Amino acid sequence: MGSSAVVVGGGIGGLAAAIGLRRIGWDVTVVERAPVLDDAGAGISLHANGIRALDALGVGAAVRAAARPQYVGGTRTPDGGRLARMDGAALERELGTPIVGIPRAALHRALREALPPEALLIGAEVTSVDRSDPARVRIPLGETRLEADLVVAADGINSRLRSQLFPGHPGPVYSGSTVLRAITEHPVELRTDFELTWGPGAEFGHIAFTDGRAEWHAVLNSPAGVRFSDPLAELRRRFADWHDPIPALLDATRPEAVLHHDINELATTLPTYAVGRIALLGDAAHAMTPNLGQGACQALEDAATLAAVLAAEPRVEAALTRYDAERRPRSQSVARAARQAGRMGQQLTHPLVIALRNTALRLAPSRATVRTALRHADWTPPRLP
């Protein structure tokens, strides 16, 4: 009888974990509470570490086929002035791949299509696990019950399983910023593949896709829970005097396509990502702010590492101890760096501090910008069978 796992959560990290576990010969069931996998969401950038993790899992080629390389872009001021230039070709020379942009729906589909349909259990919610048997984990599921050698808690930033395993942990907290985002309804003429613009307490950015459409996002300093009756009208007002193509991106968007979420994070780190036969993965383990574009990439690293340690070590608890040792220091370090990047980027409001930051960015050599990107993206995945 082979080893079995239940992955709780059918997002990017959960699906990737299931792919990795199946690759090493495990029987895997992914339990997703959503009744329909509608692939909601806007867009995402994947850095080299995320692409390398996907390659290790055997799905890199499928994702690349749906993604657009981001060669040209950078950071600007609201009047269009250049702060820093992104050199995608230099990153490709250093790492073998540039950053790529892909709709979240396309990434979800590529991951889901790498799994057999029977591996996905949709419309079922896992709220707790039974760890009374040290040799097996039991997962109550309505009137039925699953049993497995391993449970992967990939149930997101508001993880129910994390709350059960760490009842004293404060959980996610509000970062101070809220984000509105959407994918344009039709192609937009863009001069750059990727761009960020920083103003006082606000950021506007875009990612271009292969079909000519683009994802845009607007990040605002705001109290938690604030919502707008007409989000597009509010953004047109807020960014009225910001440079092109920001007005064109907003004009190319349907009002009902705009998503609005407060940005929360696990500011209090977890003491471990492994409890017995349960591994925490992705946002359930280390939800971070999006300022470095590393949230999904870190989840993909988790998935590739989890499969590798389980392939090398047949004892689940011992393998998860190694998983924790490899993943927790790195992912928590990246989360801290993302928080700091937000504080020195979009969240700044004092004119003098903004001026000093902008001057430092303009004076920095292009090589320094590349080194900053390499700091987190230059990760070598473990080898999988």
Side-chain angles (χ1 to χ4, degrees), residues 76-82 197 241-243 362:
R76 294 182 180 274
T77 56
D79 62 3
R82 175 78 65 183
T197 300
D241 58 350
W242 286 37
H243 65 82
R362 289 190 181 103

Side-chain angles (χ1 to χ4, degrees), residues 208-265:
F209 296 145
T210 55
D211 62 2
R213 294 182 304 153
E215 186 256 17
W216 58 260
H217 70 265
V219 186
L220 309 172
N221 288 359
S222 168
V226 171
R227 296 296 181 266
F228 307 114
S229 57
D230 187 339
L232 272 181
E234 175 62 25
L235 293 177
R236 288 191 180 102
R237 182 194 67 79
R238 182 69 181 260
F239 297 100
D241 58 350
W242 286 37
H243 65 82
D244 291 332
I246 292 172
L249 289 164
L250 295 175
D251 288 343
T253 303
R254 291 181 293 111
E256 60 270 25
V258 179
L259 305 173
H260 189 175
H261 298 100
D262 288 343
I263 299 174
N264 298 313
E265 60 169 329

Side-chain angles (χ1 to χ4, degrees), residues 6-10 30-35 121-129 139-146 155 158-161:
V6 170
V7 176
V8 181
V30 179
V31 183
E32 167 55 47
R33 67 180 180 178
L121 182 57
I122 308 303
E125 185 172 9
V126 176
T127 59
S128 64
V129 292
I139 305 98
L141 214 58
E143 297 181 357
T144 64
R145 185 179 67 177
L146 300 178
D155 50 342
N158 296 310
S159 170
R160 301 282 287 273
L161 297 189

Side-chain angles (χ1 to χ4, degrees), residues 73-85 191 195-200 202-205 239 241-247 345 351 353-362:
T75 308
R76 294 182 180 274
T77 56
D79 62 3
R82 175 78 65 183
L83 289 177
R85 190 180 304 275
R191 296 190 301 271
E195 198 160 75
L196 295 177
T197 300
W198 285 340
E203 171 185 298
F204 197 100
F239 297 100
D241 58 350
W242 286 37
H243 65 82
D244 291 332
I246 292 172
V353 180
I354 290 173
L356 291 172
R357 178 204 62 196
N358 290 356
T359 299
L361 285 173
R362 289 190 181 103

Side-chain angles (χ1 to χ4, degrees), residues 103-190:
R104 280 185 177 268
L107 178 56
H108 274 256
R109 280 195 300 272
L111 295 173
R112 198 171 65 245
E113 288 170 0
L115 295 168
E118 61 270 20
L120 300 173
L121 182 57
I122 308 303
E125 185 172 9
V126 176
T127 59
S128 64
V129 292
D130 178 355
R131 297 184 288 130
S132 58
D133 183 349
R136 301 279 283 174
V137 186
R138 297 182 176 89
I139 305 98
L141 214 58
E143 297 181 357
T144 64
R145 185 179 67 177
L146 300 178
E147 292 193 7
D149 300 294
L150 166 72
V151 169
V152 180
D155 50 342
I157 188 171
N158 296 310
S159 170
R160 301 282 287 273
L161 297 189
R162 184 187 64 236
S163 297
Q164 180 187 353
L165 297 172
F166 303 98
H169 190 275
V173 296
Y174 182 52
S175 68
S177 298
T178 193
V179 59
L180 296 93
R181 56 165 69 92
I183 295 177
T184 61
E185 185 177 15
H186 53 75
V188 179
E189 186 174 345
L190 300 169

